[in-house]
């Protein structure tokens, strides 16, 4: 008889194994199983009895229950309807049920309600867009305690001249104070991911910097295309000059400002960079203040990035 190929088993969490619920790798489901890590994250959040807490990806509810014990209300956003059912069963018939609200769907496509704090074990594949969705969320909240892949966490806290310093670093640090507060090994999860994790504390800057984030993002996008190149060489590129000149002419037209007939746009850009001593700077060695000064200098001369 031919051998029957055995089906490869997927590792499942103890609390849901009997129901046959398998973790979905497409959703980045890695359930945090260590109660000490959960306790530490909840403590770091400094939850008040009057707080509404947003949790993203509650899974089987290990963190959710701990949050419900401390907060006035927990809003849990979960994309997997199977886990939503498990979470509802977990609080059914308990004093915690009235305090729990569940949002079913993709958090990136969901309009988030008001919350004071966010505590979450983030699916790795949505880390970057979710960080900026949270940082641009209004009204402001006190802080977010978020679990990320360790390298991602190191990138958002990296300082200038660090090899991990990137556009992600400077864009995050523009909008928030950010620190790694806890390192978490892969064996604290089931199933264990292939990499270690870290918990990050994000505190949105309130009030935010007095600039357009879209403009800021446009500038840093150019600067970090080649973070080891000087700004002078980056801004000599034909495609960049062409786009910026087009924006310049549009803004001047909208403000009824005359454009010199003999305009040499390349010279105009080089003069701005030289005037703020930025021509020889490289993105890898520039901090938030450096980029802020440069953006204001460009905008002052009607040069915009969006």
């Amino acid at each position: 008889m031919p051998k029957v190929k055995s089906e490869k088993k997927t590792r499942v969490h103890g609390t849901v194994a009997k129901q046959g619920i398998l973790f979905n790798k497409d959703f980045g489901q890695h359930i945090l199983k260590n109660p000490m890590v959960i306790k530490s994250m909840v403590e770091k959040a400094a939850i008040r009895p009057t707080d509404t807490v947003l949790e993203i990806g509650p899974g089987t509810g290990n963190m959710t229950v701990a949050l419900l014990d401390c907060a006035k209300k927990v809003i849990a956003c979960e994309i997997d309807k199977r886990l939503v059912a498990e979470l509802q069963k977990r609080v059914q018939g308990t004093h915690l049920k009235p305090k729990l609200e569940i949002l079913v769907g993709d958090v990136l496509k969901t309009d988030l309600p008001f919350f004071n704090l966010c505590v979450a074990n983030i699916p790795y594949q949505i880390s970057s867009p979710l960080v900026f969705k949270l940082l641009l969320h209004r009204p402001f909240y006190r802080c977010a305690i978020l679990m990320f892949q360790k390298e991602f966490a190191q990138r958002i806290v990296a300082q200038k001249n660090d090899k991990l310093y990137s556009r992600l670093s400077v864009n995050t640090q523009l909008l928030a104070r950010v620190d790694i507060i806890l390192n978490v090994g892969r064996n604290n999860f089931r199933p264990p991911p292939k990499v270690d994790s870290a918990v990050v504390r994000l505190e949105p800057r309130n009030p935010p910097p007095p600039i357009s984030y879209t403009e800021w993002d446009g500038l840093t996008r150019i600067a970090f295309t080649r973070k080891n190149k000087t700004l002078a060489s980056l801004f000599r590129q034909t495609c960049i000059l062409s786009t910026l000149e087009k924006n310049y002419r549009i803004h001047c037209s909208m403000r009824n400002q005359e454009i010199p007939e003999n305009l040499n746009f390349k010279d105009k850009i080089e003069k701005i960079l030289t005037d703020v001593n930025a021509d020889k700077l490289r993105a890898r060695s520039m901090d938030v203040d450096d980029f802020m000064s440069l953006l204001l200098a460009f905008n002052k001369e009607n040069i915009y990035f969006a």
Side-chain angles (χ1 to χ4, degrees), residues 69-129:
D69 282 334
C70 305
K72 177 182 178 181
K73 180 180 181 181
V74 173
I75 302 169
C77 188
E78 175 58 64
I79 194 171
D80 191 334
K81 292 181 180 178
R82 303 167 309 156
L83 294 180
V84 168
E86 289 304 314
L87 187 55
Q88 288 171 330
K89 286 180 190 174
R90 190 159 185 173
V91 299
Q92 188 69 37
T94 73
H95 69 286
L96 301 177
K97 183 184 177 183
K99 299 167 70 175
L100 177 63
E101 177 184 339
I102 301 177
L103 296 179
V104 184
D106 184 344
V107 67
L108 297 179
K109 299 175 182 177
T110 301
D111 291 331
L112 299 177
F114 169 83
F115 58 94
N116 303 106
L117 298 162
C118 178
V119 182
N121 172 21
I122 303 298
Y124 294 156
Q125 66 267 35
I126 67 166
S127 295
S128 186

Short mmCIF file of all heavy atoms in Angstrom, two decimals, residues 69-129:
data_model
loop_
_atom_site.label_atom_id
_atom_site.label_comp_id
_atom_site.label_asym_id
_atom_site.label_seq_id
_atom_site.Cartn_x
_atom_site.Cartn_y
_atom_site.Cartn_z
N ASP A 69 -9.46 44.20 34.42
CA ASP A 69 -9.37 44.27 35.88
C ASP A 69 -8.98 45.66 36.37
O ASP A 69 -9.25 46.02 37.51
CB ASP A 69 -8.36 43.24 36.41
CG ASP A 69 -8.93 41.83 36.44
OD1 ASP A 69 -10.16 41.71 36.53
OD2 ASP A 69 -8.14 40.87 36.35
N CYS A 70 -8.30 46.44 35.50
CA CYS A 70 -7.78 47.75 35.91
C CYS A 70 -8.56 48.93 35.36
O CYS A 70 -8.62 49.99 35.99
CB CYS A 70 -6.32 47.90 35.46
SG CYS A 70 -5.21 46.60 36.01
N ALA A 71 -9.13 48.77 34.17
CA ALA A 71 -9.71 49.91 33.44
C ALA A 71 -11.22 50.01 33.61
O ALA A 71 -11.88 49.06 34.02
CB ALA A 71 -9.35 49.80 31.97
N LYS A 72 -11.73 51.16 33.26
CA LYS A 72 -13.18 51.35 33.23
C LYS A 72 -13.79 50.60 32.04
O LYS A 72 -14.87 50.02 32.13
CB LYS A 72 -13.50 52.85 33.11
CG LYS A 72 -14.98 53.17 33.01
CD LYS A 72 -15.19 54.67 32.84
CE LYS A 72 -16.67 55.01 32.69
NZ LYS A 72 -16.88 56.46 32.49
N LYS A 73 -13.03 50.61 30.91
CA LYS A 73 -13.53 49.99 29.68
C LYS A 73 -12.34 49.56 28.83
O LYS A 73 -11.31 50.23 28.80
CB LYS A 73 -14.39 51.00 28.92
CG LYS A 73 -14.99 50.48 27.62
CD LYS A 73 -15.82 51.58 26.97
CE LYS A 73 -16.46 51.11 25.67
NZ LYS A 73 -17.24 52.19 25.03
N VAL A 74 -12.50 48.44 28.12
CA VAL A 74 -11.50 47.99 27.15
C VAL A 74 -12.18 47.84 25.80
O VAL A 74 -13.22 47.19 25.68
CB VAL A 74 -10.85 46.65 27.56
CG1 VAL A 74 -9.94 46.13 26.45
CG2 VAL A 74 -10.05 46.83 28.85
N ILE A 75 -11.59 48.48 24.78
CA ILE A 75 -12.06 48.32 23.40
C ILE A 75 -11.06 47.42 22.70
O ILE A 75 -9.90 47.80 22.50
CB ILE A 75 -12.16 49.67 22.68
CG1 ILE A 75 -13.11 50.61 23.44
CG2 ILE A 75 -12.62 49.49 21.24
CD1 ILE A 75 -13.06 52.05 22.95
N ALA A 76 -11.48 46.21 22.35
CA ALA A 76 -10.58 45.24 21.73
C ALA A 76 -10.88 45.14 20.24
O ALA A 76 -12.02 44.89 19.85
CB ALA A 76 -10.76 43.87 22.39
N CYS A 77 -9.85 45.37 19.42
CA CYS A 77 -10.02 45.31 17.96
C CYS A 77 -9.41 44.01 17.45
O CYS A 77 -8.20 43.80 17.58
CB CYS A 77 -9.35 46.52 17.31
SG CYS A 77 -9.70 46.67 15.54
N GLU A 78 -10.24 43.14 16.88
CA GLU A 78 -9.79 41.81 16.44
C GLU A 78 -10.32 41.52 15.03
O GLU A 78 -11.51 41.70 14.76
CB GLU A 78 -10.28 40.74 17.43
CG GLU A 78 -9.98 39.31 17.03
CD GLU A 78 -8.49 39.07 16.84
OE1 GLU A 78 -7.72 39.19 17.82
OE2 GLU A 78 -8.11 38.76 15.69
N ILE A 79 -9.44 41.05 14.16
CA ILE A 79 -9.82 40.77 12.78
C ILE A 79 -10.37 39.36 12.60
O ILE A 79 -11.14 39.09 11.69
CB ILE A 79 -8.60 41.01 11.84
CG1 ILE A 79 -9.06 41.07 10.38
CG2 ILE A 79 -7.53 39.93 12.05
CD1 ILE A 79 -7.96 41.51 9.43
N ASP A 80 -9.99 38.44 13.49
CA ASP A 80 -10.34 37.02 13.35
C ASP A 80 -11.63 36.72 14.13
O ASP A 80 -11.65 36.73 15.36
CB ASP A 80 -9.18 36.16 13.88
CG ASP A 80 -9.35 34.68 13.53
OD1 ASP A 80 -10.50 34.24 13.35
OD2 ASP A 80 -8.33 33.97 13.46
N LYS A 81 -12.69 36.41 13.40
CA LYS A 81 -13.99 36.20 14.05
C LYS A 81 -14.00 34.99 14.97
O LYS A 81 -14.79 34.94 15.93
CB LYS A 81 -15.09 36.06 12.98
CG LYS A 81 -15.34 37.36 12.21
CD LYS A 81 -16.44 37.19 11.17
CE LYS A 81 -16.66 38.50 10.42
NZ LYS A 81 -17.69 38.36 9.37
N ARG A 82 -13.13 34.01 14.70
CA ARG A 82 -13.05 32.85 15.59
C ARG A 82 -12.56 33.26 16.98
O ARG A 82 -13.08 32.82 18.00
CB ARG A 82 -12.11 31.80 15.01
CG ARG A 82 -12.47 31.31 13.61
CD ARG A 82 -11.31 30.53 13.01
NE ARG A 82 -10.07 31.28 13.11
CZ ARG A 82 -8.85 30.72 13.11
NH1 ARG A 82 -8.71 29.42 13.03
NH2 ARG A 82 -7.78 31.48 13.19
N LEU A 83 -11.55 34.15 16.98
CA LEU A 83 -11.01 34.60 18.27
C LEU A 83 -11.96 35.58 18.95
O LEU A 83 -11.97 35.67 20.19
CB LEU A 83 -9.63 35.22 18.07
CG LEU A 83 -8.54 34.23 17.61
CD1 LEU A 83 -7.20 34.93 17.45
CD2 LEU A 83 -8.41 33.08 18.61
N VAL A 84 -12.74 36.31 18.17
CA VAL A 84 -13.77 37.17 18.76
C VAL A 84 -14.73 36.31 19.58
O VAL A 84 -15.10 36.65 20.71
CB VAL A 84 -14.53 37.95 17.66
CG1 VAL A 84 -15.77 38.62 18.24
CG2 VAL A 84 -13.63 39.00 17.02
N ALA A 85 -15.14 35.18 19.00
CA ALA A 85 -16.07 34.28 19.70
C ALA A 85 -15.45 33.74 20.99
O ALA A 85 -16.12 33.65 22.03
CB ALA A 85 -16.46 33.12 18.78
N GLU A 86 -14.15 33.40 20.94
CA GLU A 86 -13.47 32.90 22.14
C GLU A 86 -13.39 33.97 23.22
O GLU A 86 -13.55 33.70 24.41
CB GLU A 86 -12.06 32.41 21.77
CG GLU A 86 -12.04 31.14 20.95
CD GLU A 86 -12.77 30.01 21.62
OE1 GLU A 86 -12.57 29.79 22.84
OE2 GLU A 86 -13.56 29.33 20.94
N LEU A 87 -13.13 35.20 22.79
CA LEU A 87 -13.03 36.31 23.74
C LEU A 87 -14.38 36.56 24.40
O LEU A 87 -14.47 36.80 25.62
CB LEU A 87 -12.54 37.56 23.01
CG LEU A 87 -12.22 38.80 23.84
CD1 LEU A 87 -11.21 38.47 24.94
CD2 LEU A 87 -11.69 39.92 22.95
N GLN A 88 -15.45 36.50 23.62
CA GLN A 88 -16.79 36.69 24.18
C GLN A 88 -17.14 35.59 25.18
O GLN A 88 -17.70 35.86 26.25
CB GLN A 88 -17.81 36.71 23.04
CG GLN A 88 -17.75 37.98 22.19
CD GLN A 88 -18.62 37.90 20.94
OE1 GLN A 88 -18.84 36.82 20.40
NE2 GLN A 88 -19.09 39.06 20.49
N LYS A 89 -16.76 34.35 24.86
CA LYS A 89 -17.00 33.24 25.79
C LYS A 89 -16.25 33.44 27.10
O LYS A 89 -16.73 33.09 28.18
CB LYS A 89 -16.56 31.92 25.16
CG LYS A 89 -17.46 31.38 24.08
CD LYS A 89 -16.89 30.07 23.54
CE LYS A 89 -17.62 29.63 22.29
NZ LYS A 89 -16.98 28.43 21.69
N ARG A 90 -15.05 34.00 26.98
CA ARG A 90 -14.19 34.13 28.16
C ARG A 90 -14.78 35.07 29.21
O ARG A 90 -14.57 34.88 30.41
CB ARG A 90 -12.80 34.61 27.73
CG ARG A 90 -11.76 34.55 28.83
CD ARG A 90 -10.37 34.52 28.27
NE ARG A 90 -9.39 34.35 29.33
CZ ARG A 90 -8.10 34.16 29.12
NH1 ARG A 90 -7.63 34.08 27.88
NH2 ARG A 90 -7.27 34.03 30.13
N VAL A 91 -15.49 36.11 28.76
CA VAL A 91 -16.05 37.07 29.72
C VAL A 91 -17.54 36.84 29.98
O VAL A 91 -18.13 37.50 30.83
CB VAL A 91 -15.82 38.52 29.25
CG1 VAL A 91 -14.34 38.83 29.14
CG2 VAL A 91 -16.52 38.79 27.92
N GLN A 92 -18.13 35.91 29.21
CA GLN A 92 -19.56 35.65 29.36
C GLN A 92 -19.91 35.26 30.81
O GLN A 92 -19.26 34.40 31.41
CB GLN A 92 -19.98 34.51 28.42
CG GLN A 92 -21.48 34.27 28.34
CD GLN A 92 -22.19 35.41 27.62
OE1 GLN A 92 -21.66 35.97 26.67
NE2 GLN A 92 -23.38 35.75 28.09
N GLY A 93 -20.91 35.93 31.36
CA GLY A 93 -21.35 35.60 32.71
C GLY A 93 -20.46 36.11 33.83
O GLY A 93 -20.63 35.75 34.98
N THR A 94 -19.49 36.98 33.49
CA THR A 94 -18.60 37.55 34.52
C THR A 94 -18.86 39.04 34.67
O THR A 94 -19.53 39.66 33.83
CB THR A 94 -17.12 37.34 34.16
OG1 THR A 94 -16.76 38.23 33.08
CG2 THR A 94 -16.84 35.90 33.73
N HIS A 95 -18.31 39.62 35.72
CA HIS A 95 -18.47 41.06 35.95
C HIS A 95 -17.68 41.88 34.93
O HIS A 95 -17.83 43.11 34.85
CB HIS A 95 -18.00 41.41 37.37
CG HIS A 95 -16.52 41.27 37.55
ND1 HIS A 95 -15.88 40.05 37.64
CD2 HIS A 95 -15.53 42.21 37.65
CE1 HIS A 95 -14.58 40.23 37.79
NE2 HIS A 95 -14.35 41.53 37.79
N LEU A 96 -16.83 41.22 34.13
CA LEU A 96 -16.00 41.93 33.16
C LEU A 96 -16.74 42.21 31.85
O LEU A 96 -16.37 43.13 31.11
CB LEU A 96 -14.74 41.11 32.84
CG LEU A 96 -13.81 40.79 34.03
CD1 LEU A 96 -12.66 39.92 33.56
CD2 LEU A 96 -13.29 42.08 34.67
N LYS A 97 -17.79 41.45 31.57
CA LYS A 97 -18.47 41.56 30.27
C LYS A 97 -18.95 42.97 29.94
O LYS A 97 -18.74 43.46 28.81
CB LYS A 97 -19.64 40.57 30.20
CG LYS A 97 -20.33 40.59 28.84
CD LYS A 97 -21.54 39.68 28.78
CE LYS A 97 -22.23 39.81 27.43
NZ LYS A 97 -23.46 38.99 27.36
N PRO A 98 -19.59 43.70 30.88
CA PRO A 98 -20.09 45.05 30.54
C PRO A 98 -18.96 46.04 30.23
O PRO A 98 -19.22 47.08 29.62
CB PRO A 98 -20.85 45.47 31.81
CG PRO A 98 -21.13 44.21 32.55
CD PRO A 98 -19.99 43.30 32.25
N LYS A 99 -17.74 45.72 30.65
CA LYS A 99 -16.62 46.65 30.44
C LYS A 99 -15.92 46.42 29.11
O LYS A 99 -15.01 47.18 28.74
CB LYS A 99 -15.60 46.48 31.58
CG LYS A 99 -16.17 46.80 32.96
CD LYS A 99 -15.25 46.32 34.08
CE LYS A 99 -13.98 47.12 34.15
NZ LYS A 99 -13.15 46.72 35.32
N LEU A 100 -16.30 45.36 28.38
CA LEU A 100 -15.60 45.01 27.14
C LEU A 100 -16.43 45.36 25.91
O LEU A 100 -17.60 45.00 25.80
CB LEU A 100 -15.30 43.50 27.12
CG LEU A 100 -14.64 42.97 25.84
CD1 LEU A 100 -13.27 43.60 25.62
CD2 LEU A 100 -14.52 41.44 25.89
N GLU A 101 -15.80 46.09 24.99
CA GLU A 101 -16.38 46.37 23.68
C GLU A 101 -15.45 45.78 22.62
O GLU A 101 -14.23 45.98 22.69
CB GLU A 101 -16.53 47.88 23.46
CG GLU A 101 -17.06 48.26 22.08
CD GLU A 101 -17.09 49.77 21.85
OE1 GLU A 101 -17.09 50.52 22.83
OE2 GLU A 101 -17.10 50.18 20.67
N ILE A 102 -16.01 45.05 21.67
CA ILE A 102 -15.18 44.41 20.64
C ILE A 102 -15.46 45.04 19.29
O ILE A 102 -16.61 45.14 18.86
CB ILE A 102 -15.44 42.89 20.58
CG1 ILE A 102 -15.13 42.24 21.94
CG2 ILE A 102 -14.58 42.24 19.50
CD1 ILE A 102 -15.44 40.75 22.00
N LEU A 103 -14.38 45.49 18.63
CA LEU A 103 -14.47 45.98 17.26
C LEU A 103 -13.96 44.87 16.35
O LEU A 103 -12.81 44.44 16.48
CB LEU A 103 -13.60 47.23 17.07
CG LEU A 103 -13.97 48.48 17.86
CD1 LEU A 103 -12.97 49.60 17.56
CD2 LEU A 103 -15.37 48.94 17.52
N VAL A 104 -14.80 44.39 15.45
CA VAL A 104 -14.42 43.30 14.56
C VAL A 104 -13.97 43.89 13.22
O VAL A 104 -14.74 44.59 12.56
CB VAL A 104 -15.58 42.32 14.34
CG1 VAL A 104 -15.12 41.14 13.47
CG2 VAL A 104 -16.12 41.82 15.67
N GLY A 105 -12.70 43.63 12.85
CA GLY A 105 -12.22 44.13 11.57
C GLY A 105 -10.74 44.45 11.59
O GLY A 105 -10.05 44.29 12.61
N ASP A 106 -10.26 44.93 10.47
CA ASP A 106 -8.86 45.31 10.29
C ASP A 106 -8.64 46.68 10.94
O ASP A 106 -9.26 47.67 10.55
CB ASP A 106 -8.57 45.38 8.78
CG ASP A 106 -7.11 45.69 8.47
OD1 ASP A 106 -6.38 46.16 9.36
OD2 ASP A 106 -6.71 45.49 7.31
N VAL A 107 -7.75 46.73 11.91
CA VAL A 107 -7.53 47.98 12.64
C VAL A 107 -7.06 49.11 11.73
O VAL A 107 -7.36 50.28 11.97
CB VAL A 107 -6.52 47.76 13.80
CG1 VAL A 107 -5.12 47.44 13.27
CG2 VAL A 107 -6.47 48.98 14.71
N LEU A 108 -6.34 48.77 10.66
CA LEU A 108 -5.85 49.80 9.74
C LEU A 108 -6.98 50.44 8.93
O LEU A 108 -6.83 51.54 8.40
CB LEU A 108 -4.80 49.22 8.78
CG LEU A 108 -3.51 48.70 9.43
CD1 LEU A 108 -2.58 48.13 8.37
CD2 LEU A 108 -2.80 49.81 10.22
N LYS A 109 -8.12 49.73 8.84
CA LYS A 109 -9.26 50.25 8.07
C LYS A 109 -10.41 50.68 8.98
O LYS A 109 -11.50 50.99 8.50
CB LYS A 109 -9.75 49.17 7.10
CG LYS A 109 -8.71 48.74 6.08
CD LYS A 109 -9.21 47.58 5.23
CE LYS A 109 -8.14 47.13 4.24
NZ LYS A 109 -8.58 45.95 3.44
N THR A 110 -10.14 50.68 10.28
CA THR A 110 -11.19 50.99 11.26
C THR A 110 -11.01 52.39 11.81
O THR A 110 -9.89 52.81 12.14
CB THR A 110 -11.13 49.97 12.42
OG1 THR A 110 -11.32 48.66 11.91
CG2 THR A 110 -12.21 50.27 13.46
N ASP A 111 -12.10 53.14 11.91
CA ASP A 111 -12.07 54.44 12.58
C ASP A 111 -12.02 54.18 14.08
O ASP A 111 -12.98 53.65 14.66
CB ASP A 111 -13.30 55.27 12.23
CG ASP A 111 -13.28 55.72 10.77
OD1 ASP A 111 -12.18 55.90 10.22
OD2 ASP A 111 -14.37 55.87 10.20
N LEU A 112 -10.92 54.55 14.71
CA LEU A 112 -10.75 54.25 16.13
C LEU A 112 -11.54 55.24 16.99
O LEU A 112 -11.54 56.45 16.72
CB LEU A 112 -9.27 54.30 16.50
CG LEU A 112 -8.37 53.29 15.78
CD1 LEU A 112 -6.92 53.48 16.19
CD2 LEU A 112 -8.83 51.86 16.05
N PRO A 113 -12.20 54.75 18.02
CA PRO A 113 -12.95 55.64 18.92
C PRO A 113 -12.00 56.29 19.93
O PRO A 113 -10.78 56.08 19.90
CB PRO A 113 -13.90 54.66 19.63
CG PRO A 113 -13.13 53.37 19.66
CD PRO A 113 -12.33 53.34 18.40
N PHE A 114 -12.56 57.06 20.83
CA PHE A 114 -11.77 57.69 21.89
C PHE A 114 -11.17 56.63 22.81
O PHE A 114 -11.81 55.63 23.13
CB PHE A 114 -12.64 58.63 22.72
CG PHE A 114 -11.96 59.11 23.98
CD1 PHE A 114 -11.10 60.19 23.94
CD2 PHE A 114 -12.16 58.45 25.19
CE1 PHE A 114 -10.46 60.62 25.09
CE2 PHE A 114 -11.52 58.87 26.35
CZ PHE A 114 -10.67 59.97 26.29
N PHE A 115 -9.91 56.83 23.21
CA PHE A 115 -9.28 55.98 24.23
C PHE A 115 -8.20 56.79 24.95
O PHE A 115 -7.67 57.76 24.40
CB PHE A 115 -8.69 54.70 23.62
CG PHE A 115 -7.66 54.95 22.53
CD1 PHE A 115 -6.31 54.99 22.83
CD2 PHE A 115 -8.06 55.12 21.21
CE1 PHE A 115 -5.36 55.22 21.83
CE2 PHE A 115 -7.13 55.34 20.20
CZ PHE A 115 -5.77 55.38 20.52
N ASN A 116 -7.90 56.41 26.18
CA ASN A 116 -6.86 57.09 26.96
C ASN A 116 -5.49 56.45 26.78
O ASN A 116 -4.46 57.12 26.86
CB ASN A 116 -7.19 57.04 28.46
CG ASN A 116 -8.53 57.66 28.77
OD1 ASN A 116 -9.49 56.95 29.06
ND2 ASN A 116 -8.63 58.98 28.72
N LEU A 117 -5.50 55.12 26.58
CA LEU A 117 -4.26 54.35 26.46
C LEU A 117 -4.44 53.28 25.39
O LEU A 117 -5.56 52.85 25.12
CB LEU A 117 -3.93 53.65 27.79
CG LEU A 117 -3.66 54.50 29.02
CD1 LEU A 117 -3.80 53.66 30.27
CD2 LEU A 117 -2.26 55.11 28.95
N CYS A 118 -3.32 52.83 24.83
CA CYS A 118 -3.34 51.69 23.93
C CYS A 118 -2.32 50.68 24.44
O CYS A 118 -1.18 51.04 24.72
CB CYS A 118 -3.01 52.11 22.50
SG CYS A 118 -2.96 50.74 21.33
N VAL A 119 -2.74 49.43 24.58
CA VAL A 119 -1.83 48.35 24.99
C VAL A 119 -2.04 47.21 24.01
O VAL A 119 -3.18 46.76 23.82
CB VAL A 119 -2.13 47.88 26.43
CG1 VAL A 119 -1.13 46.80 26.85
CG2 VAL A 119 -2.08 49.06 27.42
N ALA A 120 -0.96 46.72 23.38
CA ALA A 120 -1.17 45.73 22.34
C ALA A 120 0.08 44.93 22.02
O ALA A 120 1.20 45.44 22.11
CB ALA A 120 -1.69 46.41 21.08
N ASN A 121 -0.14 43.68 21.61
CA ASN A 121 0.87 42.83 21.02
C ASN A 121 0.62 42.88 19.52
O ASN A 121 -0.30 42.25 19.02
CB ASN A 121 0.73 41.40 21.58
CG ASN A 121 1.62 40.41 20.87
OD1 ASN A 121 2.62 40.78 20.26
ND2 ASN A 121 1.25 39.14 20.95
N ILE A 122 1.43 43.68 18.81
CA ILE A 122 1.14 44.04 17.43
C ILE A 122 1.55 42.94 16.45
O ILE A 122 2.67 42.44 16.52
CB ILE A 122 1.90 45.34 17.05
CG1 ILE A 122 1.54 46.47 18.00
CG2 ILE A 122 1.61 45.73 15.61
CD1 ILE A 122 0.11 46.87 17.98
N PRO A 123 0.67 42.57 15.50
CA PRO A 123 1.10 41.69 14.41
C PRO A 123 2.25 42.36 13.65
O PRO A 123 2.13 43.52 13.24
CB PRO A 123 -0.15 41.57 13.53
CG PRO A 123 -1.30 41.89 14.46
CD PRO A 123 -0.76 42.91 15.42
N TYR A 124 3.36 41.65 13.47
CA TYR A 124 4.56 42.27 12.92
C TYR A 124 4.34 42.97 11.58
O TYR A 124 4.91 44.02 11.32
CB TYR A 124 5.66 41.21 12.75
CG TYR A 124 6.17 40.62 14.04
CD1 TYR A 124 6.78 39.37 14.05
CD2 TYR A 124 6.05 41.30 15.25
CE1 TYR A 124 7.26 38.81 15.23
CE2 TYR A 124 6.51 40.75 16.43
CZ TYR A 124 7.12 39.50 16.42
OH TYR A 124 7.58 38.95 17.57
N GLN A 125 3.49 42.37 10.72
CA GLN A 125 3.40 42.88 9.36
C GLN A 125 2.68 44.22 9.26
O GLN A 125 2.73 44.87 8.22
CB GLN A 125 2.73 41.85 8.43
CG GLN A 125 1.27 41.55 8.74
CD GLN A 125 1.11 40.36 9.67
OE1 GLN A 125 1.93 40.15 10.55
NE2 GLN A 125 0.06 39.58 9.47
N ILE A 126 2.01 44.66 10.32
CA ILE A 126 1.33 45.97 10.26
C ILE A 126 1.99 47.00 11.18
O ILE A 126 1.43 48.06 11.41
CB ILE A 126 -0.17 45.83 10.60
CG1 ILE A 126 -0.38 45.42 12.07
CG2 ILE A 126 -0.87 44.88 9.66
CD1 ILE A 126 -1.81 45.59 12.55
N SER A 127 3.18 46.68 11.68
CA SER A 127 3.82 47.55 12.68
C SER A 127 3.96 49.00 12.23
O SER A 127 3.53 49.93 12.92
CB SER A 127 5.21 47.00 13.05
OG SER A 127 5.11 45.76 13.68
N SER A 128 4.54 49.22 11.05
CA SER A 128 4.82 50.59 10.61
C SER A 128 3.55 51.40 10.35
O SER A 128 3.38 52.49 10.91
CB SER A 128 5.72 50.56 9.38
OG SER A 128 6.11 51.87 9.03
N PRO A 129 2.61 50.91 9.52
CA PRO A 129 1.39 51.71 9.30
C PRO A 129 0.59 51.92 10.57
O PRO A 129 -0.04 52.97 10.75
CB PRO A 129 0.60 50.90 8.26
CG PRO A 129 1.16 49.52 8.30
CD PRO A 129 2.59 49.68 8.69
#
